[in-house]
Amino acid sequence: MSSPAADVPPARLLLVEDDPDFRALVTTALATMESVRMDEAADGGTARRRLRDELYDVVITDLSLPDEDGLSLLEWARERQPGASWIVLTGHGSFDAAVRALQLGAFDFLAKPLESIEALRNAVRNALAHQRLLAERRRLALELAAANERLQGHVEQLQEACRLLEDQADTIRADLHRAALIQRALIPQHAPRLPGWSVSALYRPSLHVGGDLYDVVRVGPQRVLLLVADAAGHGLSAAMLAVLFRSRLPLVDPDSRLPLRPMDALLAANRSLSDGPAASGLFLTAALCLVDLRRGDVSIASAGHPPLLVRRSDGRVEQVFHTGPALGLYPEAVFTQHELRLERGDRLLLYTDGLFENVAPDDAAPALRVVGRLAEERGGGLDALLRLAGSTAREPKPREDDLTALLLELGEGASILDNAMPEPAGVPARPAAWEVCEILVGQEAERSILSLRGRCTWSCSAIFHQVGMEAIEAGRGLRLDLTLCSHLDSTFLGTIHELCESAERANVEFRLEGVMPPLEELFQELEMKRVLDHVVPFTLPLPRRMEPLPSAAGDRQAPGRRMLRAHEVLATLSEHNRREFDPLLDSLRREVNKRSGCST
C-alpha cells in the first residue's frame, strides 16, 4: 500500500534562463527539494512552447532573454496559463521592472546575484505553498457550498452561535477597556509642580493598551524622577509586562528614604524581573533620570533604550547612550549611569522608538533623523513633541507602534501631559523602525567601540570590517554593542567571525555585548563557537561621544569581495555550512572575477 505522500504528483517547475552556468546552479539547488520536477528553457520561444504544452505550478524567469524580455513572456502567459506562480529574476535590480512584474501578477521578484541560494529556495517554497493554498481554498469553497445546502435547516442554530460569538467579543472588548483603565491609572494625569522647569509628555498607545510606560515623580523638595519604558510586543502581554516592571521598580531607598540612583533602581528591577519564569521574547527597555531641580544635575541610566537626547540652548544636540542591557534578559546584568548638567534653555528628551514612525525617511538612520529635527526645533512644550512626532493635531489616530515622548526643559513654561487614547484599530504589524543600518564608533582608553543598530546587511559590511581591522591592527581591543541591532545577515555574521579570529591572533580583547536570545541562537546554529566565547552577559555604558560611520564609497568591488570572504569564513565552520553556502560561493566567485576582469 502506497503512502499518502506517494499519491501526490510532483510540483512542476519551469526555469527560463539563458546563462547555462546559472541555469545549472539553480537546477542543482532546486533538485534537492522534495517532490519537484524541473524543466528548462534557454529563451522565450522555447518557454512559450512548453507553456502551451504543459501545466506548471511555478515559472522562474530572467528578465533579460535572447529573444524577448521576461515581462513580455509573463504578460503573454497570463492568458495561456494563468494558474502558475511566477518568480522574476534580474541582474539589474530595477525598481520599475519589479513594480511592473508585480502588476502583471508575479509572485516574487529577486535580484541577481542572489544574496543566497536559500533565498531562491524559500521563494519557490512560498510559491508552491501559495499554489496549495489556492487549491485548498477552491476545495473549501466547494465543501462550504455543499455544507450550506446541508445546513439550510439549521439556521436558528447558526444564529445562536453568532449571538454567542458577539457576546464573547463584547466581553473581550470590556476586558480591554478595563485593562486600559488600569494602565491609564499608572500613567500620570497631571504634571507635578516644578518651579523654574516645565515638563511635557505625548503618549499614544497603538491599541487601547500598549507596552509603553512613562512617569514623572517628585522624590523630595528638589528632585524629580523621569521614567520612560518600552515592553517588547503590543497589546495585553506588553501592557502586563510594563505594569509588572513598574510595580517592581524601586525609586526610594526603604531605609534612608532617599531617592535611589537610577543605576541601582534598574539593577533591582532587572533582578526582580529575572527571578520570575523565563519566557522567550519577554524583555523591556527603560530610561530613568534623576534630576536635581536646584543645580540642574541629571543622573541617567538606560537599559537597552534608544539614545536620550539633550538639546543645548545653542542648538547642539547630544546623544546619551544606554548604560546596560534590556531588562529581564540577564539576571547578572550590570548597570552604570551618565552624569550631566542642564543649563537654562536646555531640554532633555526621553522617547520610545514609536517616535520614528512618522519621521520622514531619508538616508539617515531613524535616531539621527530625530536628532536633526530636535536641533532645528525652536519651540518647546507639547507643540514641539507633536512636531517631532510628525503631527500638528492633538487628536489620537490609529498607530502601528506605541509612542511615548517626554520633554524636560530648564525654563518657565506650561507643563502638559497628553495621554490621549486612540480607538482600537486591530492588531497591526510592528513597523520596521530600525530598517536602516546605522553603525556608531567610539573610543575608550584601550579599545574601539562599534555600536550596530537596525538591520545590518552586506551593504555596510565593508566599512564595518575596515574600521574593525584598523583597531585590531593598531593593537586596540574591539567591543561590539548589539543592543539595538534587529538583524544581521550572513555577510555580517561572517565578518564578525573574521574579526573575532583576527583579534585572537593579535591577542587583543574582543567582546560582544547586548546579544539578544534570537541572535545567540543564530550564532549557535552556524557553529560560531569562537564568537560565542566572547559574548558577555552584561553591557557597559557607551561613551558620551559616538560618531556614525560614513557609508562605503569609491571601491565598487568591495561589497562583492566582502560577501565572498565572509561566506568563505562561515563555510569552514561546519559541514552543514559548507553545503549551505557552496552554491552561493560559486556564484559570488564568478561575479567577483567578472567585475575584476579575470577569467573564470
Side-chain angles (χ1 to χ4, degrees), residues 77-158:
R78 288 177 64 187
E79 304 296 329
R80 274 73 177 177
Q81 198 183 60
S85 293
W86 286 65
I87 299 174
V88 177
L89 307 173
T90 178
H92 308 290
S94 167
F95 177 77
D96 292 338
V99 171
R100 180 57 180 157
L102 295 175
Q103 289 174 340
L104 291 174
F107 178 78
D108 205 346
F109 184 91
L110 300 177
K112 292 166 57 181
L114 298 173
E115 182 176 346
S116 71
I117 203 66
E118 188 60 28
L120 178 59
R121 289 198 191 101
N122 286 335
V124 172
R125 291 190 192 101
N126 292 337
L128 292 175
H130 178 68
Q131 290 286 336
R132 289 192 293 270
L133 286 174
L134 292 177
E136 181 68 8
R137 187 171 67 178
R138 290 191 292 268
R139 183 186 67 79
L140 290 174
L142 293 174
E143 290 183 358
L144 181 60
N148 285 336
E149 293 180 3
R150 294 193 301 269
L151 293 174
Q152 287 301 316
H154 303 284
V155 174
E156 292 185 0
Q157 295 181 12
L158 290 175

Side-chain angles (χ1 to χ4, degrees), residues 208-265:
H208 262 324
V209 292
D212 280 9
L213 182 73
Y214 83 92
D215 209 346
V216 183
V217 184
R218 285 294 292 264
V219 285
Q222 295 297 334
R223 291 185 178 180
V224 65
L225 272 166
L226 306 181
L227 165 68
V228 168
D230 184 2
H234 293 282
L236 277 176
S237 63
M240 291 175 66
L241 181 57
V243 170
L244 178 64
F245 160 71
R246 186 62 184 88
S247 69
R248 297 187 177 184
L249 177 68
L251 301 182
V252 177
D253 183 272
D255 298 322
S256 67
R257 306 307 299 169
L258 294 176
L260 281 174
R261 295 184 303 175
M263 57 186 281
D264 295 331

Side-chain angles (χ1 to χ4, degrees), residues 15-33:
L15 173 62
V16 187
E17 168 63 55
D18 62 322
D19 184 341
D21 291 336
F22 188 74
R23 196 165 63 240
L25 172 66
V26 172
T27 301
T28 302
L30 297 184
T32 61
M33 299 176 62

Side-chain angles (χ1 to χ4, degrees), residues 59-368:
V59 180
I60 306 169
T61 183
D62 194 353
L63 275 184
S64 178
L65 299 172
D67 50 351
E68 64 176 316
D69 64 84
L71 291 180
S72 64
L73 177 63
L74 170 57
E75 189 169 14
W76 174 86
R78 288 177 64 187
E79 304 296 329
R80 274 73 177 177
Q81 198 183 60
S85 293
W86 286 65
I87 299 174
V88 177
L89 307 173
T90 178
H92 308 290
S94 167
F95 177 77
D96 292 338
V99 171
R100 180 57 180 157
L102 295 175
Q103 289 174 340
L104 291 174
F107 178 78
D108 205 346
F109 184 91
L110 300 177
K112 292 166 57 181
L114 298 173
E115 182 176 346
S116 71
I117 203 66
E118 188 60 28
L120 178 59
R121 289 198 191 101
N122 286 335
V124 172
R125 291 190 192 101
N126 292 337
L128 292 175
H130 178 68
Q131 290 286 336
R132 289 192 293 270
L133 286 174
L134 292 177
E136 181 68 8
R137 187 171 67 178
R138 290 191 292 268
R139 183 186 67 79
L140 290 174
L142 293 174
E143 290 183 358
L144 181 60
N148 285 336
E149 293 180 3
R150 294 193 301 269
L151 293 174
Q152 287 301 316
H154 303 284
V155 174
E156 292 185 0
Q157 295 181 12
L158 290 175
Q159 290 175 339
E160 180 62 28
C162 289
R163 282 193 293 271
L164 178 61
L165 289 174
E166 289 173 358
D167 290 343
Q168 292 174 344
D170 289 339
T171 301
I172 293 173
R173 281 192 290 269
D175 285 343
L176 282 173
H177 179 68
R178 285 190 287 269
L181 291 177
I182 294 172
Q183 188 176 35
R184 187 187 289 267
L186 292 175
I187 301 296
Q189 302 303 305
H190 305 285
R193 189 169 174 272
L194 307 174
W197 299 72
S198 66
V199 62
S200 305
L202 185 66
Y203 177 73
R204 296 288 189 270
S206 59
L207 308 175
H208 262 324
V209 292
D212 280 9
L213 182 73
Y214 83 92
D215 209 346
V216 183
V217 184
R218 285 294 292 264
V219 285
Q222 295 297 334
R223 291 185 178 180
V224 65
L225 272 166
L226 306 181
L227 165 68
V228 168
D230 184 2
H234 293 282
L236 277 176
S237 63
M240 291 175 66
L241 181 57
V243 170
L244 178 64
F245 160 71
R246 186 62 184 88
S247 69
R248 297 187 177 184
L249 177 68
L251 301 182
V252 177
D253 183 272
D255 298 322
S256 67
R257 306 307 299 169
L258 294 176
L260 281 174
R261 295 184 303 175
M263 57 186 281
D264 295 331
L266 291 183
L267 180 64
N270 182 68
R271 286 175 178 167
S272 180
L273 291 174
S274 301
D275 286 343
S280 177
L282 288 182
F283 62 91
L284 177 141
T285 70
L288 187 61
C289 302
L290 178 61
V291 184
D292 186 320
L293 299 175
R294 181 176 52 192
R295 297 169 54 87
D297 293 337
V298 186
S299 300
I300 300 174
S302 172
H305 204 71
L308 282 68
L309 303 178
V310 179
R311 187 192 188 278
R312 298 298 183 180
S313 57
D314 60 4
R316 292 179 296 111
V317 177
E318 302 170 8
Q319 299 187 71
V320 183
F321 300 101
H322 59 78
T323 63
L327 303 172
L329 291 177
Y330 311 110
E332 65 275 30
V334 175
F335 297 90
T336 57
Q337 62 189 35
H338 289 298
E339 306 290 342
L340 57 86
R341 173 168 291 184
L342 298 180
E343 305 290 348
R344 188 166 186 81
D346 291 347
R347 303 170 194 162
L348 173 64
L349 176 65
L350 296 77
Y351 60 93
T352 62
D353 60 10
L355 186 61
F356 304 147
E357 183 175 313
N358 295 113
V359 178
D362 54 31
D363 291 337
L368 295 181

